[in-house]
Amino acid sequence: MTIINWHNIRPIHNSLNDGFEELVCQLAAREVVANQSYFQRIGKPDGGKECFWELADGSLHMWQAKYFTATLNASQWKQITESVKSAIDYHPKLTAYYVCLPIDRADGKTKDTKSLLAKWNEKVIEWQAYAASKGLKVMFSFWGSSELISRLSKRENEGLTYFWFNKE
């Protein structure tokens, strides 16, 4: 498997965040989504998404990228939740939402602290309830460092790895 240092991602507009967002969109564009119709990259402001696939039935799969390189604090969770709610509020055909971060979800068990995985699971329940209140059923998925590296490690993505990280 390819070793990636997310701090070495190629910046776009002098921004590592913009670079990470663009990489996620390039990987999302290469995803095989059943019944995909067309792919769209979104500029800023983005309404809670960096890009989306519209499917043949009009439903939407959206990706949100946040360049948070350490465990999430309350402010960062708030940013993600605002993006999720914005996507739900403005896209009544949303059926799948991918949150992409260059970290993996830790699940260390400690007495006084919830792990990132436990917090993620709580947020998914919260977001699904919000979606249901708007009449939507949305699947939430996590693309962390491992999921992103797995995609970058595919032979067909060798050029992406070289471009974004100057690595074969």
Side-chain angles (χ1 to χ4, degrees):
M1 186 177 276
T2 305
I3 303 298
I4 297 292
N5 179 341
W6 294 104
H7 298 283
N8 292 337
I9 194 167
R10 180 185 298 270
I12 299 289
H13 308 116
N14 293 317
S15 167
L16 297 177
N17 182 67
D18 286 356
F20 181 70
E21 288 180 5
E22 182 60 29
L23 170 60
V24 165
C25 290
Q26 290 181 12
L27 290 170
R30 294 169 180 232
E31 279 293 292
V32 176
V33 179
N35 300 312
Q36 62 196 45
S37 179
Y38 75 92
F39 179 81
Q40 180 69 54
R41 172 69 161 108
I42 303 298
K44 293 179 183 186
D46 62 22
K49 64 203 171 296
E50 314 307 340
C51 58
F52 66 87
W53 270 105
E54 182 170 327
L55 308 187
D57 65 0
S59 63
L60 301 171
H61 288 204
M62 296 181 174
W63 281 259
Q64 175 59 246
K66 298 288 187 189
Y67 187 68
F68 300 149
T69 59
T71 194
L72 304 181
N73 62 38
S75 172
Q76 292 166 325
W77 278 116
K78 183 177 183 217
Q79 288 179 51
I80 294 169
T81 296
E82 286 172 355
S83 294
V84 167
K85 288 183 175 181
S86 180
I88 291 167
D89 288 345
Y90 296 106
H91 301 284
K93 294 195 173 195
L94 177 63
T95 58
Y97 194 87
Y98 298 83
V99 176
C100 307
L101 306 171
I103 58 175
D104 289 318
R105 294 170 293 178
D107 192 27
K109 306 291 185 192
T110 61
K111 187 175 184 174
D112 300 324
T113 313
K114 287 184 187 170
S115 69
L116 185 55
L117 179 60
K119 289 177 184 177
W120 167 263
N121 291 335
E122 288 177 356
K123 287 296 182 184
V124 167
I125 291 167
E126 174 188 325
W127 300 332
Q128 286 174 333
Y130 186 78
S133 77
K134 304 287 184 170
L136 300 177
K137 182 175 182 178
V138 179
M139 174 198 68
F140 292 93
S141 296
F142 185 85
W143 279 13
S145 182
S146 180
E147 291 82 1
L148 294 166
I149 290 170
S150 177
R151 284 167 173 80
L152 284 169
S153 297
K154 293 179 180 177
R155 182 177 267 313
E156 63 266 24
N157 291 331
E158 285 176 353
L160 290 178
T161 304
Y162 186 77
F163 177 81
W164 288 104
F165 299 97
N166 294 318
K167 292 186 137 211
E168 298 279 330

PDB file of all heavy atoms in Angstrom, residues 92-127:
ATOM      1  N   PRO A  92     -33.298  17.854  -2.211  1.00  0.00           N
ATOM      2  CA  PRO A  92     -34.307  16.868  -1.803  1.00  0.00           C
ATOM      3  C   PRO A  92     -34.131  15.486  -2.432  1.00  0.00           C
ATOM      4  O   PRO A  92     -34.818  14.548  -2.036  1.00  0.00           O
ATOM      5  CB  PRO A  92     -35.634  17.508  -2.236  1.00  0.00           C
ATOM      6  CG  PRO A  92     -35.265  18.499  -3.289  1.00  0.00           C
ATOM      7  CD  PRO A  92     -33.882  18.969  -2.964  1.00  0.00           C
ATOM      8  N   LYS A  93     -33.189  15.346  -3.364  1.00  0.00           N
ATOM      9  CA  LYS A  93     -32.944  14.031  -3.971  1.00  0.00           C
ATOM     10  C   LYS A  93     -31.631  13.415  -3.475  1.00  0.00           C
ATOM     11  O   LYS A  93     -31.139  12.453  -4.047  1.00  0.00           O
ATOM     12  CB  LYS A  93     -32.953  14.145  -5.488  1.00  0.00           C
ATOM     13  CG  LYS A  93     -34.345  14.526  -5.993  1.00  0.00           C
ATOM     14  CD  LYS A  93     -34.493  14.293  -7.450  1.00  0.00           C
ATOM     15  CE  LYS A  93     -35.951  14.542  -7.820  1.00  0.00           C
ATOM     16  NZ  LYS A  93     -36.271  14.014  -9.104  1.00  0.00           N
ATOM     17  N   LEU A  94     -31.083  13.972  -2.385  1.00  0.00           N
ATOM     18  CA  LEU A  94     -29.863  13.443  -1.798  1.00  0.00           C
ATOM     19  C   LEU A  94     -30.126  12.064  -1.194  1.00  0.00           C
ATOM     20  O   LEU A  94     -31.064  11.889  -0.418  1.00  0.00           O
ATOM     21  CB  LEU A  94     -29.356  14.395  -0.706  1.00  0.00           C
ATOM     22  CG  LEU A  94     -28.122  13.956   0.074  1.00  0.00           C
ATOM     23  CD1 LEU A  94     -26.910  13.837  -0.835  1.00  0.00           C
ATOM     24  CD2 LEU A  94     -27.850  14.938   1.211  1.00  0.00           C
ATOM     25  N   THR A  95     -29.304  11.080  -1.575  1.00  0.00           N
ATOM     26  CA  THR A  95     -29.458   9.728  -1.012  1.00  0.00           C
ATOM     27  C   THR A  95     -28.175   9.201  -0.384  1.00  0.00           C
ATOM     28  O   THR A  95     -28.224   8.261   0.403  1.00  0.00           O
ATOM     29  CB  THR A  95     -29.933   8.720  -2.083  1.00  0.00           C
ATOM     30  OG1 THR A  95     -28.991   8.697  -3.152  1.00  0.00           O
ATOM     31  CG2 THR A  95     -31.328   9.077  -2.596  1.00  0.00           C
ATOM     32  N   ALA A  96     -27.021   9.783  -0.744  1.00  0.00           N
ATOM     33  CA  ALA A  96     -25.744   9.327  -0.176  1.00  0.00           C
ATOM     34  C   ALA A  96     -24.840  10.531   0.016  1.00  0.00           C
ATOM     35  O   ALA A  96     -24.759  11.412  -0.850  1.00  0.00           O
ATOM     36  CB  ALA A  96     -25.073   8.301  -1.085  1.00  0.00           C
ATOM     37  N   TYR A  97     -24.150  10.559   1.157  1.00  0.00           N
ATOM     38  CA  TYR A  97     -23.286  11.684   1.514  1.00  0.00           C
ATOM     39  C   TYR A  97     -21.991  11.138   2.091  1.00  0.00           C
ATOM     40  O   TYR A  97     -22.011  10.345   3.033  1.00  0.00           O
ATOM     41  CB  TYR A  97     -23.997  12.574   2.531  1.00  0.00           C
ATOM     42  CG  TYR A  97     -23.370  13.922   2.744  1.00  0.00           C
ATOM     43  CD1 TYR A  97     -23.703  15.006   1.946  1.00  0.00           C
ATOM     44  CD2 TYR A  97     -22.449  14.130   3.767  1.00  0.00           C
ATOM     45  CE1 TYR A  97     -23.141  16.261   2.142  1.00  0.00           C
ATOM     46  CE2 TYR A  97     -21.882  15.383   3.971  1.00  0.00           C
ATOM     47  CZ  TYR A  97     -22.237  16.439   3.156  1.00  0.00           C
ATOM     48  OH  TYR A  97     -21.677  17.677   3.364  1.00  0.00           O
ATOM     49  N   TYR A  98     -20.876  11.542   1.504  1.00  0.00           N
ATOM     50  CA  TYR A  98     -19.555  11.065   1.904  1.00  0.00           C
ATOM     51  C   TYR A  98     -18.794  12.191   2.587  1.00  0.00           C
ATOM     52  O   TYR A  98     -18.617  13.264   1.998  1.00  0.00           O
ATOM     53  CB  TYR A  98     -18.762  10.593   0.684  1.00  0.00           C
ATOM     54  CG  TYR A  98     -19.403   9.436  -0.029  1.00  0.00           C
ATOM     55  CD1 TYR A  98     -20.423   9.638  -0.961  1.00  0.00           C
ATOM     56  CD2 TYR A  98     -19.015   8.137   0.240  1.00  0.00           C
ATOM     57  CE1 TYR A  98     -21.025   8.571  -1.614  1.00  0.00           C
ATOM     58  CE2 TYR A  98     -19.611   7.060  -0.409  1.00  0.00           C
ATOM     59  CZ  TYR A  98     -20.614   7.294  -1.331  1.00  0.00           C
ATOM     60  OH  TYR A  98     -21.214   6.236  -1.974  1.00  0.00           O
ATOM     61  N   VAL A  99     -18.362  11.954   3.804  1.00  0.00           N
ATOM     62  CA  VAL A  99     -17.520  12.905   4.528  1.00  0.00           C
ATOM     63  C   VAL A  99     -16.087  12.400   4.401  1.00  0.00           C
ATOM     64  O   VAL A  99     -15.790  11.263   4.780  1.00  0.00           O
ATOM     65  CB  VAL A  99     -17.933  13.016   6.013  1.00  0.00           C
ATOM     66  CG1 VAL A  99     -16.984  13.929   6.766  1.00  0.00           C
ATOM     67  CG2 VAL A  99     -19.379  13.504   6.124  1.00  0.00           C
ATOM     68  N   CYS A 100     -15.207  13.247   3.887  1.00  0.00           N
ATOM     69  CA  CYS A 100     -13.826  12.843   3.591  1.00  0.00           C
ATOM     70  C   CYS A 100     -12.855  13.661   4.433  1.00  0.00           C
ATOM     71  O   CYS A 100     -12.863  14.895   4.379  1.00  0.00           O
ATOM     72  CB  CYS A 100     -13.536  13.060   2.114  1.00  0.00           C
ATOM     73  SG  CYS A 100     -14.757  12.279   1.029  1.00  0.00           S
ATOM     74  N   LEU A 101     -12.034  12.946   5.195  1.00  0.00           N
ATOM     75  CA  LEU A 101     -11.027  13.569   6.065  1.00  0.00           C
ATOM     76  C   LEU A 101      -9.716  12.815   5.905  1.00  0.00           C
ATOM     77  O   LEU A 101      -9.731  11.589   5.749  1.00  0.00           O
ATOM     78  CB  LEU A 101     -11.457  13.482   7.532  1.00  0.00           C
ATOM     79  CG  LEU A 101     -12.823  14.027   7.932  1.00  0.00           C
ATOM     80  CD1 LEU A 101     -13.138  13.651   9.371  1.00  0.00           C
ATOM     81  CD2 LEU A 101     -12.862  15.525   7.768  1.00  0.00           C
ATOM     82  N   PRO A 102      -8.575  13.492   6.024  1.00  0.00           N
ATOM     83  CA  PRO A 102      -7.292  12.791   5.881  1.00  0.00           C
ATOM     84  C   PRO A 102      -6.830  12.135   7.186  1.00  0.00           C
ATOM     85  O   PRO A 102      -5.637  12.100   7.486  1.00  0.00           O
ATOM     86  CB  PRO A 102      -6.347  13.919   5.448  1.00  0.00           C
ATOM     87  CG  PRO A 102      -6.895  15.127   6.115  1.00  0.00           C
ATOM     88  CD  PRO A 102      -8.397  14.943   6.098  1.00  0.00           C
ATOM     89  N   ILE A 103      -7.754  11.626   7.948  1.00  0.00           N
ATOM     90  CA  ILE A 103      -7.453  10.912   9.197  1.00  0.00           C
ATOM     91  C   ILE A 103      -8.346   9.672   9.255  1.00  0.00           C
ATOM     92  O   ILE A 103      -9.337   9.589   8.539  1.00  0.00           O
ATOM     93  CB  ILE A 103      -7.697  11.785  10.457  1.00  0.00           C
ATOM     94  CG1 ILE A 103      -9.148  12.284  10.511  1.00  0.00           C
ATOM     95  CG2 ILE A 103      -6.701  12.935  10.504  1.00  0.00           C
ATOM     96  CD1 ILE A 103      -9.512  13.052  11.779  1.00  0.00           C
ATOM     97  N   ASP A 104      -7.979   8.734  10.104  1.00  0.00           N
ATOM     98  CA  ASP A 104      -8.822   7.564  10.343  1.00  0.00           C
ATOM     99  C   ASP A 104      -9.531   7.732  11.678  1.00  0.00           C
ATOM    100  O   ASP A 104      -9.092   8.496  12.536  1.00  0.00           O
ATOM    101  CB  ASP A 104      -7.975   6.284  10.329  1.00  0.00           C
ATOM    102  CG  ASP A 104      -7.499   5.953   8.921  1.00  0.00           C
ATOM    103  OD1 ASP A 104      -8.297   6.083   7.976  1.00  0.00           O
ATOM    104  OD2 ASP A 104      -6.323   5.573   8.779  1.00  0.00           O
ATOM    105  N   ARG A 105     -10.625   7.018  11.829  1.00  0.00           N
ATOM    106  CA  ARG A 105     -11.423   7.121  13.057  1.00  0.00           C
ATOM    107  C   ARG A 105     -10.833   6.206  14.128  1.00  0.00           C
ATOM    108  O   ARG A 105     -10.925   4.984  14.025  1.00  0.00           O
ATOM    109  CB  ARG A 105     -12.875   6.735  12.784  1.00  0.00           C
ATOM    110  CG  ARG A 105     -13.568   7.708  11.858  1.00  0.00           C
ATOM    111  CD  ARG A 105     -14.893   7.197  11.406  1.00  0.00           C
ATOM    112  NE  ARG A 105     -14.672   6.016  10.545  1.00  0.00           N
ATOM    113  CZ  ARG A 105     -15.626   5.303  10.012  1.00  0.00           C
ATOM    114  NH1 ARG A 105     -16.881   5.609  10.235  1.00  0.00           N
ATOM    115  NH2 ARG A 105     -15.351   4.269   9.257  1.00  0.00           N
ATOM    116  N   ALA A 106     -10.246   6.822  15.135  1.00  0.00           N
ATOM    117  CA  ALA A 106      -9.710   6.057  16.268  1.00  0.00           C
ATOM    118  C   ALA A 106     -10.859   5.489  17.084  1.00  0.00           C
ATOM    119  O   ALA A 106     -11.955   6.055  17.117  1.00  0.00           O
ATOM    120  CB  ALA A 106      -8.851   6.966  17.139  1.00  0.00           C
ATOM    121  N   ASP A 107     -10.598   4.367  17.728  1.00  0.00           N
ATOM    122  CA  ASP A 107     -11.622   3.766  18.589  1.00  0.00           C
ATOM    123  C   ASP A 107     -11.018   3.338  19.924  1.00  0.00           C
ATOM    124  O   ASP A 107     -11.374   2.316  20.484  1.00  0.00           O
ATOM    125  CB  ASP A 107     -12.276   2.567  17.885  1.00  0.00           C
ATOM    126  CG  ASP A 107     -13.538   2.102  18.615  1.00  0.00           C
ATOM    127  OD1 ASP A 107     -14.177   2.935  19.294  1.00  0.00           O
ATOM    128  OD2 ASP A 107     -13.872   0.911  18.504  1.00  0.00           O
ATOM    129  N   GLY A 108     -10.075   4.147  20.409  1.00  0.00           N
ATOM    130  CA  GLY A 108      -9.485   3.860  21.715  1.00  0.00           C
ATOM    131  C   GLY A 108     -10.533   4.002  22.806  1.00  0.00           C
ATOM    132  O   GLY A 108     -11.324   4.938  22.799  1.00  0.00           O
ATOM    133  N   LYS A 109     -10.557   3.064  23.683  1.00  0.00           N
ATOM    134  CA  LYS A 109     -11.554   3.062  24.761  1.00  0.00           C
ATOM    135  C   LYS A 109     -10.933   3.696  26.013  1.00  0.00           C
ATOM    136  O   LYS A 109      -9.970   3.182  26.563  1.00  0.00           O
ATOM    137  CB  LYS A 109     -11.993   1.631  25.088  1.00  0.00           C
ATOM    138  CG  LYS A 109     -12.492   0.840  23.889  1.00  0.00           C
ATOM    139  CD  LYS A 109     -13.800   1.362  23.378  1.00  0.00           C
ATOM    140  CE  LYS A 109     -14.313   0.465  22.268  1.00  0.00           C
ATOM    141  NZ  LYS A 109     -15.397   0.984  21.535  1.00  0.00           N
ATOM    142  N   THR A 110     -11.460   4.834  26.415  1.00  0.00           N
ATOM    143  CA  THR A 110     -11.054   5.453  27.667  1.00  0.00           C
ATOM    144  C   THR A 110     -12.298   5.804  28.456  1.00  0.00           C
ATOM    145  O   THR A 110     -13.380   5.988  27.887  1.00  0.00           O
ATOM    146  CB  THR A 110     -10.206   6.719  27.447  1.00  0.00           C
ATOM    147  OG1 THR A 110     -10.987   7.670  26.722  1.00  0.00           O
ATOM    148  CG2 THR A 110      -8.931   6.424  26.658  1.00  0.00           C
ATOM    149  N   LYS A 111     -12.132   5.919  29.741  1.00  0.00           N
ATOM    150  CA  LYS A 111     -13.271   6.123  30.631  1.00  0.00           C
ATOM    151  C   LYS A 111     -13.968   7.460  30.414  1.00  0.00           C
ATOM    152  O   LYS A 111     -15.183   7.542  30.418  1.00  0.00           O
ATOM    153  CB  LYS A 111     -12.804   5.984  32.078  1.00  0.00           C
ATOM    154  CG  LYS A 111     -13.907   6.006  33.082  1.00  0.00           C
ATOM    155  CD  LYS A 111     -13.388   5.743  34.476  1.00  0.00           C
ATOM    156  CE  LYS A 111     -14.546   5.668  35.445  1.00  0.00           C
ATOM    157  NZ  LYS A 111     -14.126   5.282  36.774  1.00  0.00           N
ATOM    158  N   ASP A 112     -13.187   8.519  30.190  1.00  0.00           N
ATOM    159  CA  ASP A 112     -13.771   9.861  30.164  1.00  0.00           C
ATOM    160  C   ASP A 112     -13.885  10.491  28.773  1.00  0.00           C
ATOM    161  O   ASP A 112     -14.326  11.616  28.657  1.00  0.00           O
ATOM    162  CB  ASP A 112     -12.928  10.787  31.053  1.00  0.00           C
ATOM    163  CG  ASP A 112     -12.892  10.310  32.499  1.00  0.00           C
ATOM    164  OD1 ASP A 112     -13.921   9.795  32.976  1.00  0.00           O
ATOM    165  OD2 ASP A 112     -11.825  10.444  33.124  1.00  0.00           O
ATOM    166  N   THR A 113     -13.484   9.784  27.741  1.00  0.00           N
ATOM    167  CA  THR A 113     -13.455  10.369  26.405  1.00  0.00           C
ATOM    168  C   THR A 113     -14.104   9.432  25.398  1.00  0.00           C
ATOM    169  O   THR A 113     -13.898   8.234  25.440  1.00  0.00           O
ATOM    170  CB  THR A 113     -11.991  10.612  25.976  1.00  0.00           C
ATOM    171  OG1 THR A 113     -11.286  11.233  27.034  1.00  0.00           O
ATOM    172  CG2 THR A 113     -11.929  11.494  24.762  1.00  0.00           C
ATOM    173  N   LYS A 114     -14.863  10.032  24.475  1.00  0.00           N
ATOM    174  CA  LYS A 114     -15.431   9.257  23.375  1.00  0.00           C
ATOM    175  C   LYS A 114     -14.435   9.244  22.226  1.00  0.00           C
ATOM    176  O   LYS A 114     -13.802  10.249  21.922  1.00  0.00           O
ATOM    177  CB  LYS A 114     -16.734   9.888  22.889  1.00  0.00           C
ATOM    178  CG  LYS A 114     -17.886   9.696  23.819  1.00  0.00           C
ATOM    179  CD  LYS A 114     -19.143  10.270  23.217  1.00  0.00           C
ATOM    180  CE  LYS A 114     -20.248  10.217  24.250  1.00  0.00           C
ATOM    181  NZ  LYS A 114     -21.420  10.961  23.807  1.00  0.00           N
ATOM    182  N   SER A 115     -14.333   8.111  21.576  1.00  0.00           N
ATOM    183  CA  SER A 115     -13.435   7.990  20.432  1.00  0.00           C
ATOM    184  C   SER A 115     -14.034   8.705  19.223  1.00  0.00           C
ATOM    185  O   SER A 115     -15.232   9.008  19.172  1.00  0.00           O
ATOM    186  CB  SER A 115     -13.211   6.516  20.098  1.00  0.00           C
ATOM    187  OG  SER A 115     -14.399   5.948  19.573  1.00  0.00           O
ATOM    188  N   LEU A 116     -13.197   8.949  18.234  1.00  0.00           N
ATOM    189  CA  LEU A 116     -13.669   9.553  16.992  1.00  0.00           C
ATOM    190  C   LEU A 116     -14.713   8.660  16.326  1.00  0.00           C
ATOM    191  O   LEU A 116     -15.718   9.150  15.804  1.00  0.00           O
ATOM    192  CB  LEU A 116     -12.501   9.829  16.046  1.00  0.00           C
ATOM    193  CG  LEU A 116     -12.825  10.561  14.745  1.00  0.00           C
ATOM    194  CD1 LEU A 116     -13.538  11.882  14.995  1.00  0.00           C
ATOM    195  CD2 LEU A 116     -11.559  10.791  13.941  1.00  0.00           C
ATOM    196  N   LEU A 117     -14.511   7.342  16.392  1.00  0.00           N
ATOM    197  CA  LEU A 117     -15.494   6.426  15.817  1.00  0.00           C
ATOM    198  C   LEU A 117     -16.837   6.536  16.539  1.00  0.00           C
ATOM    199  O   LEU A 117     -17.892   6.593  15.903  1.00  0.00           O
ATOM    200  CB  LEU A 117     -14.983   4.984  15.859  1.00  0.00           C
ATOM    201  CG  LEU A 117     -15.930   3.927  15.300  1.00  0.00           C
ATOM    202  CD1 LEU A 117     -16.255   4.189  13.830  1.00  0.00           C
ATOM    203  CD2 LEU A 117     -15.337   2.535  15.478  1.00  0.00           C
ATOM    204  N   ALA A 118     -16.813   6.598  17.868  1.00  0.00           N
ATOM    205  CA  ALA A 118     -18.063   6.724  18.638  1.00  0.00           C
ATOM    206  C   ALA A 118     -18.761   8.043  18.310  1.00  0.00           C
ATOM    207  O   ALA A 118     -19.988   8.085  18.132  1.00  0.00           O
ATOM    208  CB  ALA A 118     -17.780   6.616  20.129  1.00  0.00           C
ATOM    209  N   LYS A 119     -17.990   9.118  18.203  1.00  0.00           N
ATOM    210  CA  LYS A 119     -18.583  10.418  17.860  1.00  0.00           C
ATOM    211  C   LYS A 119     -19.165  10.383  16.444  1.00  0.00           C
ATOM    212  O   LYS A 119     -20.239  10.932  16.202  1.00  0.00           O
ATOM    213  CB  LYS A 119     -17.540  11.527  17.978  1.00  0.00           C
ATOM    214  CG  LYS A 119     -17.151  11.824  19.418  1.00  0.00           C
ATOM    215  CD  LYS A 119     -16.055  12.870  19.475  1.00  0.00           C
ATOM    216  CE  LYS A 119     -15.599  13.100  20.905  1.00  0.00           C
ATOM    217  NZ  LYS A 119     -14.482  14.066  20.978  1.00  0.00           N
ATOM    218  N   TRP A 120     -18.439   9.758  15.512  1.00  0.00           N
ATOM    219  CA  TRP A 120     -18.951   9.618  14.145  1.00  0.00           C
ATOM    220  C   TRP A 120     -20.299   8.900  14.154  1.00  0.00           C
ATOM    221  O   TRP A 120     -21.259   9.354  13.536  1.00  0.00           O
ATOM    222  CB  TRP A 120     -17.949   8.870  13.263  1.00  0.00           C
ATOM    223  CG  TRP A 120     -18.546   8.431  11.953  1.00  0.00           C
ATOM    224  CD1 TRP A 120     -19.059   7.195  11.653  1.00  0.00           C
ATOM    225  CD2 TRP A 120     -18.744   9.221  10.783  1.00  0.00           C
ATOM    226  NE1 TRP A 120     -19.542   7.171  10.365  1.00  0.00           N
ATOM    227  CE2 TRP A 120     -19.361   8.416   9.813  1.00  0.00           C
ATOM    228  CE3 TRP A 120     -18.452  10.541  10.456  1.00  0.00           C
ATOM    229  CZ2 TRP A 120     -19.685   8.877   8.545  1.00  0.00           C
ATOM    230  CZ3 TRP A 120     -18.778  11.001   9.181  1.00  0.00           C
ATOM    231  CH2 TRP A 120     -19.386  10.177   8.253  1.00  0.00           C
ATOM    232  N   ASN A 121     -20.371   7.779  14.863  1.00  0.00           N
ATOM    233  CA  ASN A 121     -21.613   7.003  14.906  1.00  0.00           C
ATOM    234  C   ASN A 121     -22.758   7.822  15.490  1.00  0.00           C
ATOM    235  O   ASN A 121     -23.890   7.747  15.002  1.00  0.00           O
ATOM    236  CB  ASN A 121     -21.406   5.704  15.687  1.00  0.00           C
ATOM    237  CG  ASN A 121     -20.510   4.732  14.943  1.00  0.00           C
ATOM    238  OD1 ASN A 121     -20.402   4.761  13.723  1.00  0.00           O
ATOM    239  ND2 ASN A 121     -19.847   3.852  15.689  1.00  0.00           N
ATOM    240  N   GLU A 122     -22.482   8.631  16.512  1.00  0.00           N
ATOM    241  CA  GLU A 122     -23.508   9.509  17.081  1.00  0.00           C
ATOM    242  C   GLU A 122     -23.952  10.560  16.067  1.00  0.00           C
ATOM    243  O   GLU A 122     -25.149  10.861  15.957  1.00  0.00           O
ATOM    244  CB  GLU A 122     -22.985  10.194  18.339  1.00  0.00           C
ATOM    245  CG  GLU A 122     -22.855   9.281  19.529  1.00  0.00           C
ATOM    246  CD  GLU A 122     -22.270   9.976  20.752  1.00  0.00           C
ATOM    247  OE1 GLU A 122     -21.888  11.177  20.657  1.00  0.00           O
ATOM    248  OE2 GLU A 122     -22.185   9.315  21.808  1.00  0.00           O
ATOM    249  N   LYS A 123     -22.993  11.136  15.347  1.00  0.00           N
ATOM    250  CA  LYS A 123     -23.329  12.161  14.349  1.00  0.00           C
ATOM    251  C   LYS A 123     -24.162  11.574  13.215  1.00  0.00           C
ATOM    252  O   LYS A 123     -25.101  12.218  12.744  1.00  0.00           O
ATOM    253  CB  LYS A 123     -22.058  12.811  13.784  1.00  0.00           C
ATOM    254  CG  LYS A 123     -21.379  13.742  14.760  1.00  0.00           C
ATOM    255  CD  LYS A 123     -22.260  14.929  15.082  1.00  0.00           C
ATOM    256  CE  LYS A 123     -21.590  15.894  16.011  1.00  0.00           C
ATOM    257  NZ  LYS A 123     -22.475  17.009  16.402  1.00  0.00           N
ATOM    258  N   VAL A 124     -23.842  10.373  12.785  1.00  0.00           N
ATOM    259  CA  VAL A 124     -24.625   9.738  11.718  1.00  0.00           C
ATOM    260  C   VAL A 124     -26.084   9.596  12.156  1.00  0.00           C
ATOM    261  O   VAL A 124     -26.998   9.896  11.376  1.00  0.00           O
ATOM    262  CB  VAL A 124     -24.013   8.383  11.300  1.00  0.00           C
ATOM    263  CG1 VAL A 124     -24.981   7.581  10.439  1.00  0.00           C
ATOM    264  CG2 VAL A 124     -22.701   8.607  10.555  1.00  0.00           C
ATOM    265  N   ILE A 125     -26.312   9.183  13.382  1.00  0.00           N
ATOM    266  CA  ILE A 125     -27.689   9.072  13.895  1.00  0.00           C
ATOM    267  C   ILE A 125     -28.360  10.442  13.885  1.00  0.00           C
ATOM    268  O   ILE A 125     -29.514  10.586  13.453  1.00  0.00           O
ATOM    269  CB  ILE A 125     -27.685   8.437  15.298  1.00  0.00           C
ATOM    270  CG1 ILE A 125     -27.269   6.966  15.202  1.00  0.00           C
ATOM    271  CG2 ILE A 125     -29.049   8.576  15.971  1.00  0.00           C
ATOM    272  CD1 ILE A 125     -26.940   6.318  16.540  1.00  0.00           C
ATOM    273  N   GLU A 126     -27.644  11.458  14.339  1.00  0.00           N
ATOM    274  CA  GLU A 126     -28.173  12.830  14.349  1.00  0.00           C
ATOM    275  C   GLU A 126     -28.504  13.295  12.927  1.00  0.00           C
ATOM    276  O   GLU A 126     -29.577  13.854  12.678  1.00  0.00           O
ATOM    277  CB  GLU A 126     -27.120  13.757  14.982  1.00  0.00           C
ATOM    278  CG  GLU A 126     -27.455  15.231  14.929  1.00  0.00           C
ATOM    279  CD  GLU A 126     -26.275  16.098  15.387  1.00  0.00           C
ATOM    280  OE1 GLU A 126     -25.523  15.682  16.297  1.00  0.00           O
ATOM    281  OE2 GLU A 126     -26.113  17.201  14.829  1.00  0.00           O
ATOM    282  N   TRP A 127     -27.585  13.075  11.989  1.00  0.00           N
ATOM    283  CA  TRP A 127     -27.801  13.519  10.605  1.00  0.00           C
ATOM    284  C   TRP A 127     -28.922  12.747   9.935  1.00  0.00           C
ATOM    285  O   TRP A 127     -29.712  13.319   9.181  1.00  0.00           O
ATOM    286  CB  TRP A 127     -26.519  13.379   9.803  1.00  0.00           C
ATOM    287  CG  TRP A 127     -25.352  14.175  10.323  1.00  0.00           C
ATOM    288  CD1 TRP A 127     -25.394  15.344  11.042  1.00  0.00           C
ATOM    289  CD2 TRP A 127     -23.971  13.857  10.170  1.00  0.00           C
ATOM    290  NE1 TRP A 127     -24.125  15.756  11.341  1.00  0.00           N
ATOM    291  CE2 TRP A 127     -23.231  14.865  10.819  1.00  0.00           C
ATOM    292  CE3 TRP A 127     -23.284  12.815   9.548  1.00  0.00           C
ATOM    293  CZ2 TRP A 127     -21.838  14.869  10.854  1.00  0.00           C
ATOM    294  CZ3 TRP A 127     -21.906  12.815   9.586  1.00  0.00           C
ATOM    295  CH2 TRP A 127     -21.185  13.828  10.228  1.00  0.00           C
TER     296      TRP A 127
END
